[in-house]
Every structure is written in C-alpha cells, then in structure tokens.
C-alpha cells in the first residue's frame, strides 16, 4: 500500500534538499568535542617525533653530534639526511616539479628548515632530545629580496641545481631563477599602449602571509612489517595524491598504502602539499616498525609550512580618454622561497594568475611572472583562493581604481563602462579563459542601491570640505571574477594526474544511502551539502544519507578539496552518479507499475504514472525492489560511481563595497560597513554559503588590515607566533552584510559555480580600495598592505593629513 499522498511541497520540505538552509549535520560532534583529529589518534606502541630545525637562514652544516640526544632515556633514534640517503629519501619531488630537501643535505636554505628528526617514547622526551642535538653551522650570505636574488653577484641558494639551465617550466636565466611564465599576446598589448590616449602604471607588493589554520599539520604513520602495509593518518586536503606520492617515494605498492584524512581543523591551502615531517614520520615507522606520530607546534606551522602571496607586481592599463580600457600589461616577480613547492596545476607555474583581466572586456593583455629562489621557507599556496587568483584580482582592481582616479571618474562608473556584458557570455578573455556566465551590471546596480552609494559619496564630499574633520572617509568598491573548479584534465593535472573528481553512491534496500567522494572537508559542510544534492536528485531525505570522505581505502580516487573545487567538480560527480541511479530506478519503477518508462513522471521523491497521481512508487519502494526482485535483465542493487572531468572552469563573481573611517590622530581604521554580493550560480545551502562568506571575509580582513610575515636582514622571521601574527577575533571582526544574485553555470550539471574562496579573493582589494580612497583627494593612488594603524598613521603624516 502506498502511504497517504502528501503535497509535493510538503515532501520537498521533508527532503531538505538543494536550496534548504539545513543545519550542518556534522556540527553535533564538533560542538561536543567529539571530533577525531590527527592528534586524537593513539596506537599501541606509538612513538613520537620532533624535528631539529635550523636557527639560521643560510649556512653549511659542518657537523652534527647526536650522542647526547641518543643517550637520553626514551630516545629511539636520531636521523639526518645521511641516514635517509640509502633509502633515496633525503630529497623529494614537489608538486611544482622542483625537488626539496626532506632533511637539510649539507646546507640549510632558510630559517626553521628541517635538519634532523628525533623519535622518542613521548613528545616531551622528543622535545628535550631536539635541544640536545648539537649542530655546527658555517653561515653564508642571506638573500631575501627576489630582485636582489637575480643580481649577477647574488649568493647561490640552490647549489644542488648548479649547471642546470633547464627547469621544470623552461630555461633558467640565473642561478636563483626558477621560471618565467607568460600569458596573453605581448605584441597586441604593446600595440594597444602605443595607440593609447591615456596610460597608468602602479607598482604594488602583495606581502607574504600564512593561512594559519586552527589545527597545525601532523600525521601518524604506521607500517606493518609483516604485511608490508602502510597506514597514515594525516592532515591533508588531498589524501589520494598523498597516497600516490608516498608510493612513488617509498616504493611501497600503492595498493598497500592507505591514507586517512580524519577531521581537519581548517586547511585554506596550507594542507595541500607534502611536508618533510610527513615523509620523516613514515620513514621512522618503516625503520622502527612501530607507529610514529608527528604534530607540529604553532611556531613551526607559521615558520616552515607553505606561505602565500609574496608577489611584487607592476600593472599598466591603456585606455581611451573617456575610460574604455584597451590594454593591460602585468609584470610580476614572485618570491618562491628556497624550493618551488607551490601547489599549482603542472602546466601553470603561476597558477590561474591569468584571470588578471577580471570582469572587464579588455581586448589586448599580456602577463609575465618570474619565479625566484630566496632564503625563505618554500610554499606559495592558494590561501583560500584558486591558484594565485587573489593576487590577480588584487592587481586588476587596484589598477582600475588608479585609472579612475587619473581620469576623474567614479569607481562604479568606470567599472560599468568596461564590464563584460551579459549578452557577451560565454566570453573568451584575452588570456584564453572562457567565462561561462555572468550579469555584472545587475549585481552592481543592486549593491549601489542597497548602500545608497550616491548618499555615501555626498557624505564623503562634505567631510572632505571640513579641514577639522577627525576622520577620513573612504569608500572601496571591487567587482571581481574568480576562476575555480580545477579542473579540466586537458588543462590541469598534479604530477600527471588529471584534476577530475569522483563519487560513489549506494542506496540500501530500506531506502537510506551512503556516498563516498574523493574530496575532504575542512569545515565546508560537505556532509550536509553533498547529502542535499543527492536528496534532490534521488528523492531520499538528506537526513538518511551518510557522506564519507578522506579514506583512500574506501573513497574513489579524487584530487581533493582546495580552490573552491568541491561543488564545481565533486558536486557535479555527485549529481551525475545520482542520475545513473535515477535512470536504473526509473526502469524498476516502470516494471513495478506495469507501464513503459516514458509513461512516468518524476515528482520530488517518486515516479508517477502520467495522468494518474494515485499510481506511484517512491524511491524507497524502488530500492527494496532492486534488492528483492529486480526486473529480468537488470542486475540487483542500486548504486553507481561517476568520475567527473569538467569541460571548463566555473567563474563565480561578486560586487563588494566597504566604507571606512580613519582616525586622523591615531591611524586606526574602523570598518563602518561591508556589503558583499556573491553570485555562485545555483545555491545548495544558503546558510552554509553565508557561513563560508563570513569566514572568507574575516580572513580577507585579517590579510588586508594586519597579516604579514616580515624578516630581518639575517633572515629571521619576526612574526611566527600568535602574539605577532594577526588572527582577528569576534572583537575585531566587522559586521558583514551579504547578498546574492544567481547566474547558473551552463555547463555544470547543477549550474553551481562554488563560493568559499570568493569572499577572501574579493574582500582584500576592497579593504585596500577603501583605505586608499580615503587618501585619494590628497593625490595618493596606492598604499601597500597591511593597513594597520601604524602604517596608516605614517601615511597620514607623510601626506599632511594627520591631526
């Protein structure tokens, strides 16, 4: 008997599928302290590892004395590069095609580089033994400025590359040069500048910052010498890639390597790469035959794991006298630290930086990025962005402001004049990206009306007319387009593996389901949103859909979670796997109802006979039939696997506006208002979207207003504790206003584009735009970040605006 008929609306509500602001199902365990993080993992006989790190930024290792450490009770081993050489594990490949020292081999290249490891009974004995390892260094000249690193007489940082004129990405021009990467058409861009009525240029520095997730990096490696199996619990955003790399490094068959990413306390790009600590813990477990745990402390995390940004950028715009942009030129010197360990697709050493034309219809453009070695920690991760998109968006948005200022045009007016128009989509940029969809003007109009933009400008003019006003008022406006959803295998791979993603769904006989994906959540709410996609596609309540990720022994192969690729890639795999199941379920329902498949309609959670609402079978009915008595010719069961290789990236966009008031006596900047409109295409869970936007905006606020990793002349990092490195709390964080438009992606199965990176990408130039706007009437065109009170007070003094 069928259950009493409910309305479609009531059944849709019960599903809590796409579009529902469903509470995050994973939060219950987190708020009760029931999460399972790497440091929660305990195994019988487990040992602990700590790392001896270099106190200097550049120097030769003269001698290492292990004796005092080895003599300490509870110490099992002290290993150096010489101990790893027989295993050929003293160097390892990086995701960028370079090699990096696992433990310093003959010399150190940056402060806090890994030199030796200690394995002991507990972490306290290991920490004491680290202090007992005696190392003698011969200091070498330090180079921290990438421009200085390219001078003919600059110190040689990578002696292991001596004589190598070819790098992973082309010819090396200097002993500290890594690559030069070009995009666009240089001759067309140069021609546009030759003909231009107006040109502007601006140098800007995007400082080195750090993602600084709440949970630091760590792992527990357990090698079974009897079975030859290796299991490693690890803080990784890409566990399957880690499995492949570990197999390549160790020689253990990949079928005997299991990588598990349990709950992760934030990633933001910091947990994509392979760190020496991971490799050393695995080696120690293989050598000793016992589980080995390594968890870094906060200073280690900020000092040695992957940084972000450190881009020295020169931008130029060519335009007509009335503000139509005709050309763009960009030159970048990128500080990659001592090893090129950026987590970028193989073909793009500068990531997706060529999104630098932004939301604008610029006919001719060229960008050049030069990677350089310095005596700093390696990295260059996409800190809550998609492969250097943040730097690109920052540059183009600053340049449009500079052009508007020179022409005396309003920020909103010049942007509207240069937008890619709605009717131009799909639009191919001068750099070759095919933007999928967009409606920038509608979004801009919505923001300007919501904040009373004309009223804000009038208020600002009134304040500027008062020489005794205690504050300067600034209005920042940014209209950004991001590129996410990496990516199409024809363009994107990591170590030769295409950047597809995957999903496996199994419907149980009683109508509940389990789904496994190749991604791994770090707080994005995957267990909730993925279940909502399946609920809508298959008519099963999201409450009874279990989502699992992060275990390479159960999940299908996927490229992980970073760069806002979860919904654009994994979300598509989920939808298409569900549709395979739906197609089989339709056949079973037709058999059960004794009609042809074409005689059925789908409504929310059931197949109905056309024209007769009383004759239907729910997905639960079909599931039971699939395992009980499927039609002849159909195998039992109801499950599917799908690997999704996207045909294109997706291009979410946003319009952000910020109002600041700068105290002329102290330089303190107060964020009066921040209005963020995002368009991520189809919205799966509006509440989770808002949460992701709030988090991204808060991180953007931190970067723009305070975060930096400064070094002294000797290469000592001056900001590697939370006493020095700015992480905003509830007290400092502004109030966020969010809004949206919906422009679905035409090539994505759900029309979804992704959103988690956008608020970080868009907010940072918005804050800078607002701060600089407060000074614009004084002739200031740009101020480098961070805009902390001291730096802003200095700018007030320099331009005669301080009280």
């Amino acid at each position: 008997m069928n259950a009493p008929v409910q309305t479609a609306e009531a059944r849709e509500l019960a599903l809590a599928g796409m579009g529902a602001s469903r509470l995050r199902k994973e939060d219950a365990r987190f708020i009760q302290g029931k999460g399972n993080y790497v440091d929660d993992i305990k195994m019988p006989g487990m040992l602990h590892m700590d790392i001896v790190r270099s106190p200097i930024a550049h120097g030769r290792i003269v001698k290492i004395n292990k004796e005092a450490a080895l003599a300490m009770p509870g110490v099992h081993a002290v290993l150096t590069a010489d101990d790893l050489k027989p295993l050929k594990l003293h160097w390892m490949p990086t995701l960028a095609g370079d090699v990096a020292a696992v433990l310093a081999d003959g010399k150190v290249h940056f402060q806090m580089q890994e030199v030796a490891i200690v394995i002991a009974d507990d972490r306290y004995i290991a920490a004491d033994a680290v202090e007992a390892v005696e190392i003698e260094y011969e200091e070498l000249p330090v180079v921290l400025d990438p421009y200085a690193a390219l001078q003919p007489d600059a110190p040689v940082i990578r002696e292991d590359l001596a004589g190598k004129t070819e790098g992973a990405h082309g010819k090396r021009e200097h002993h500290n040069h890594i690559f030069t990467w070009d995009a666009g058409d240089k001759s067309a861009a140069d021609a546009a500048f030759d003909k231009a009525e107006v040109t502007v240029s601006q140098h800007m520095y995007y400082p080195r910052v750090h993602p600084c997730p709440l949970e630091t990096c760590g792992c527990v490696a357990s090698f079974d010498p009897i079975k030859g199996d290796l299991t490693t619990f690890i803080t990784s955003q890409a566990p399957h890639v880690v499995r492949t790399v570990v197999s390549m490094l160790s020689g253990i068959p990949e079928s005997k390597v299991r990588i598990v990413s349990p709950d992760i306390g934030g990633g933001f790009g910091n947990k994509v790469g392979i760190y020496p600590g991971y490799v050393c813990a695995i080696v120690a477990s293989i050598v000793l035959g016992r589980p080995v745990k390594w968890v870094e402390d906060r200073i280690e995390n900020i000092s040695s794991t992957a940084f972000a940004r450190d881009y020295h950028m020169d931008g130029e715009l060519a335009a007509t006298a009335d503000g139509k942009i005709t050309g763009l030129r960009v030159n970048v010197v990128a500080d990659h630290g001592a090893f090129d360990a950026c987590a970028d697709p193989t073909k793009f050493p500068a990531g997706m930086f060529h999104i630098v034309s932004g939301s604008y219809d610029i006919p001719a453009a060229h960008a050049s990025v030069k990677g350089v070695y310095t005596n700093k920690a390696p990295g260059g991760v996409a800190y809550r962005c998609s492969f250097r998109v943040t730097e690109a968006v920052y540059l183009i948005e600053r340049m449009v402001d500079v052009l508007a200022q020179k022409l005396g045009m309003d920020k909103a007016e010049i942007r509207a004049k240069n937008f890619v128009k709605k009717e131009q989509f799909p639009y191919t940029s001068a750099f070759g990206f095919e933007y999928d969809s967009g409606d920038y003007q509608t979004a801009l109009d919505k923001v300007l009306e919501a904040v009373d933009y004309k009223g804000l400008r009038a208020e600002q003019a009134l304040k500027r007319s008062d020489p005794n006003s205690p504050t300067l008022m600034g209005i920042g406006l940014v209209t950004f387009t991001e590129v996410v959803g990496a990516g199409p295998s024809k363009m994107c791979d990591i170590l030769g593996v295409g950047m597809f993603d995957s999903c496996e769904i199994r419907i149980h006989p009683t109508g509940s389901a389990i789904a496994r994906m190749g991604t791994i959540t770090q707080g994005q709410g995957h267990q909730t949103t993925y279940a909502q996609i399946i609920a809508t596609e298959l008519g099963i309540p999201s409450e009874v859909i279990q989502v699992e990720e992060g275990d390479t022994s159960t999940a299908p192969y996927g490229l992980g979670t970073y760069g806002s690729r979860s919904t654009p890639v994994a979300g598509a795999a989920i939808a298409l796997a569900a549709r395979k199941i739906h197609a089989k379920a339709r056949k079973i329902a037709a058999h059960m109802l004794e009609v042809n498949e074409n005689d059925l309609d789908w409504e929310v959670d059931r197949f109905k006979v056309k024209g007769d609402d009383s004759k239907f079978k729910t997905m639960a009915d079909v599931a039971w039939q699939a395992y009980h008595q499927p039609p002849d010719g159909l195998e039992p069961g109801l499950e599917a696997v799908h690997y999704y290789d996207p045909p294109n990236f997706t291009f979410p966009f946003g319009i952000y506006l910020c109002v600041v008031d700068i105290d002329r006596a102290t330089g303190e900047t107060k964020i009066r208002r921040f209005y963020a409109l995002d368009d991520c295409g189809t919205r799966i869970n509006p509440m989770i979207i808002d949460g992701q936007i709030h988090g991204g905006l808060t991180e953007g606020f931190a970067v723009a207003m305070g975060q930096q990793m400064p070094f002294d002349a000797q290469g000592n990092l001056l900001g590697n504790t939370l006493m020095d490195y700015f992480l905003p709390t509830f007290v400092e964080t502004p109030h966020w206003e969010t809004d949206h438009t919906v422009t679905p992606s035409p090539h994505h199965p759900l029309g979804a584009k992704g959103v988690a990176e956008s608020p970080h990408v868009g907010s940072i130039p918005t804050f800078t735009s607002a701060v600089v706007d407060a000074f614009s009437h004084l002739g200031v065109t740009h101020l480098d970040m961070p805009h902390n009170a001291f730096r802003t007070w200095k700018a007030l003094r320099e331009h005669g605006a301080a009280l």
Side-chain angles (χ1 to χ4, degrees):
M1 287 288 293
N2 288 318
V5 177
Q6 294 178 305
T7 66
E9 292 78 11
R11 288 184 277 116
E12 184 104 47
L13 193 62
L15 286 183
M18 289 176 56
S21 288
R22 184 173 188 265
L23 292 174
R24 291 180 12 143
K25 56 165 55 177
E26 50 267 70
D27 283 351
R29 71 178 191 275
F30 291 140
I31 62 176
Q32 297 179 75
K34 302 296 185 182
N36 185 39
Y37 299 90
V38 163
D39 203 27
D40 294 320
I41 305 296
K42 296 176 177 62
M43 292 185 170
M46 187 172 72
L47 302 174
H48 294 259
M49 187 185 90
D50 205 346
I51 299 177
V52 181
R53 297 180 180 274
S54 170
I56 63 173
H58 199 198
R60 301 196 189 284
I61 300 173
V62 178
K63 183 171 61 176
I64 300 177
N65 187 339
K66 312 176 185 178
E67 293 180 8
L70 287 169
M72 295 175 66
V75 173
H76 290 259
V78 178
L79 304 179
T80 67
D82 287 342
D83 299 304
L84 301 186
K85 285 179 182 178
L87 303 172
K88 297 182 179 179
L89 287 175
H90 55 307
W91 289 80
M92 65 179 182
T94 71
L95 297 180
D98 196 2
V99 292
V102 176
L103 295 175
D105 182 18
K107 75 176 237 180
V108 294
H109 301 81
F110 60 93
Q111 187 188 52
M112 297 290 285
Q113 184 177 352
E114 301 84 353
V115 180
I117 59 170
V118 173
I119 301 95
D121 284 336
D122 64 45
R123 63 193 309 170
Y124 304 103
I125 295 173
D128 290 341
V130 162
E131 297 298 322
V133 177
E134 299 172 357
I135 304 177
E136 182 182 341
Y137 298 96
E138 174 194 338
E139 294 199 43
L140 296 172
V142 173
V143 60
L144 303 169
D145 183 328
Y147 293 99
L150 293 176
Q151 295 301 310
D153 59 348
V156 178
I157 295 172
R158 291 289 299 279
E159 294 176 2
D160 60 296
L161 299 178
K164 293 187 177 181
T165 57
E166 290 290 328
H169 306 288
K171 187 173 180 59
R172 297 180 65 223
E173 304 164 2
H174 182 278
H175 53 260
N176 292 329
H177 174 254
I178 307 172
F179 64 82
T180 297
W181 178 81
D182 293 275
D185 187 331
K186 187 176 188 304
S187 60
D190 289 345
F193 276 82
D194 290 341
K195 300 173 185 175
E197 297 172 344
V198 178
T199 64
V200 291
S201 63
Q202 181 68 55
H203 177 79
M204 60 194 79
Y205 173 54
Y206 202 126
R208 176 176 283 232
V209 294
H210 193 275
C212 203
L214 183 62
E215 179 197 28
T216 60
C217 296
C219 69
V220 178
S222 180
F223 179 73
D224 185 330
I226 305 300
K227 296 181 179 179
D229 294 344
L230 173 67
T231 298
T232 302
F233 296 85
I234 191 169
T235 52
S236 175
Q237 296 178 231
H240 283 96
V241 174
V242 172
R243 186 184 70 186
T244 300
V245 172
V246 166
S247 177
M248 293 167 62
L249 287 172
S250 66
I252 300 172
E254 197 165 353
S255 58
K256 286 183 169 289
V257 178
R258 179 189 179 200
I259 303 296
V260 181
S261 288
D263 291 328
I264 296 179
F268 316 119
N270 185 240
K271 294 171 181 170
V272 175
I274 311 294
Y275 294 120
Y278 300 155
V279 178
C280 290
I282 291 169
V283 170
S285 181
I286 293 172
V287 170
L288 298 172
R290 292 172 62 176
V292 174
K293 176 185 281 190
W294 167 70
V295 177
E296 64 184 1
D297 63 29
R298 180 61 59 190
I299 291 176
E300 290 177 303
N301 180 257
I302 298 178
S303 300
S304 64
T305 60
F307 72 93
R309 325 307 184 215
D310 220 341
Y311 259 34
H312 301 256
M313 303 186 287
D314 286 284
E316 298 177 274
L317 284 179
T320 61
D322 63 350
K324 186 71 177 77
I325 300 171
T326 56
L328 166 68
R329 291 192 299 214
V330 180
N331 282 283
V332 175
V333 174
D335 188 337
H336 282 232
F339 310 115
D340 186 10
C342 292
D344 290 326
T346 303
K347 298 179 181 66
F348 301 110
M352 303 291 125
F353 184 79
H354 47 313
I355 195 68
V356 71
S357 55
S359 307
Y360 310 110
D361 183 14
I362 302 176
H366 177 257
S368 178
V369 180
K370 185 172 292 188
V372 182
Y373 292 123
T374 64
N375 288 120
K376 297 178 185 174
V381 299
Y383 174 10
R384 201 161 186 156
C385 81
S386 183
F387 311 121
R388 301 290 188 174
V389 169
T390 296
E391 293 92 318
V393 168
Y394 186 83
L395 183 135
I396 186 60
E397 289 304 303
R398 294 301 310 122
M399 290 310 304
V400 173
D401 274 7
V402 171
L403 178 61
Q405 191 169 337
K406 179 164 184 175
L407 294 174
M409 292 180 67
D410 184 82
K411 293 180 181 185
E413 179 189 357
I414 198 168
R415 284 170 165 81
K417 189 178 190 71
N418 287 284
F419 276 156
V420 178
K421 302 296 188 289
K422 181 179 179 180
E423 58 271 17
Q424 290 178 270
F425 289 95
Y427 169 82
T428 301
S429 78
F431 291 109
F433 281 122
E434 185 183 286
Y435 293 20
D436 49 3
S437 63
D439 186 354
Y440 304 145
Q441 188 63 55
T442 296
L444 176 62
D445 291 343
K446 191 174 185 182
V447 171
L448 298 183
E449 181 180 353
V451 301
D452 185 16
Y453 185 69
K454 290 181 179 179
L456 289 173
R457 284 297 181 199
E459 180 190 352
Q460 183 185 50
L462 187 63
K463 283 196 171 187
R464 286 180 173 177
S465 67
D466 178 8
N468 298 315
S469 174
T471 60
L472 296 181
M473 178 182 172
I475 304 169
L477 180 65
V478 159
T479 57
F480 68 94
T481 294
E482 200 187 359
V483 51
V484 302
S489 293
K490 60 188 176 185
M491 292 182 274
C492 295
D493 68 271
I494 291 181
L495 298 177
V497 180
M499 295 183 74
F500 56 82
D501 230 295
S502 58
C503 175
E504 175 192 284
I505 303 174
R506 294 180 180 178
I507 311 298
H508 301 311
T510 51
S512 62
I514 186 168
R516 297 184 173 102
M517 290 79 178
T519 49
I520 174 64
T521 185
Q522 309 115 49
Q524 294 94 333
H526 287 182
Q527 292 180 21
T528 303
T529 54
Y530 286 175
Q532 289 180 262
I533 295 171
I534 297 168
T536 293
E537 292 286 340
L538 293 179
I540 299 171
S542 60
E543 185 60 41
V544 300
I545 300 171
Q546 181 72 19
V547 171
E548 293 183 1
E549 304 173 280
D551 187 337
T552 61
S553 289
T554 58
Y557 202 106
L559 271 288
T561 300
Y562 42 85
S564 236
R565 63 186 306 277
S566 296
T567 298
V569 189
I574 293 165
L576 293 175
R579 290 173 191 179
K580 289 180 178 179
I581 292 173
H582 195 278
K584 183 176 180 179
R586 177 179 283 272
K587 295 179 185 297
I588 296 171
H591 171 76
M592 295 171 72
L593 292 165
E594 300 180 331
V595 296
N596 188 281
E597 285 182 60
N598 295 329
D599 294 327
L600 294 178
D601 284 329
W602 171 256
E603 184 186 81
V604 184
D605 62 347
R606 62 195 58 187
F607 295 98
K608 301 190 311 181
V609 175
K610 291 180 178 179
D612 189 347
D613 288 354
S614 67
K615 293 183 178 180
F616 64 87
K617 294 296 177 182
T618 67
M619 187 58 76
D621 297 330
V622 172
W624 181 258
Q625 188 76 12
Y627 288 91
H628 170 61
Q629 195 174 4
D632 293 341
L634 279 185
E635 61 182 335
L638 204 57
E639 60 185 61
V641 177
H642 191 87
Y643 284 79
Y644 179 72
D645 189 358
N648 189 12
F649 301 101
T650 57
F651 295 83
F653 63 90
I655 315 290
Y656 289 0
L657 187 140
C658 176
V659 183
V660 301
D661 295 297
I662 299 174
D663 190 308
R664 294 173 60 189
T666 66
E668 180 185 7
T669 300
K670 292 185 177 179
I671 312 301
R672 186 201 305 182
R673 190 171 190 186
F674 198 103
Y675 200 97
L677 181 147
D678 280 278
D679 193 313
C680 60
T682 302
R683 294 159 60 85
I684 297 169
N685 185 317
M687 182 172 60
I688 286 182
I689 289 172
D690 276 350
Q692 288 293 300
I693 291 172
H694 286 183
L697 293 175
T698 302
E699 284 184 316
F701 170 71
V703 170
M705 307 307 292
Q707 288 186 348
Q708 60 178 326
M709 299 178 71
F711 294 80
D712 67 15
Q714 288 73 46
N716 298 305
L717 177 56
L718 304 179
N720 59 0
T721 76
L722 297 186
M723 294 292 288
D724 308 297
Y725 193 71
F726 176 50
L727 288 187
T729 68
F730 178 81
V731 174
E732 297 90 6
T733 302
H735 172 69
W736 310 118
E737 299 175 72
T738 60
D739 200 349
H740 67 276
T741 56
V742 177
T743 311
S745 172
H747 65 75
H748 190 277
L750 301 172
K753 294 186 175 186
V755 74
E757 318 289 356
S758 293
H760 187 93
V761 170
S763 64
I764 296 168
T766 309
F767 287 115
T768 295
S769 177
V771 171
V772 175
D773 187 68
F775 288 84
S776 61
H777 63 299
L778 304 173
V780 177
T781 58
H782 180 71
L783 294 168
D784 278 331
M785 298 181 288
H787 306 297
N788 56 43
F790 177 68
R791 290 168 60 93
T792 305
W793 177 78
K794 285 177 64 178
L796 288 166
R797 289 285 301 271
E798 180 182 347
H799 297 285
L803 289 180

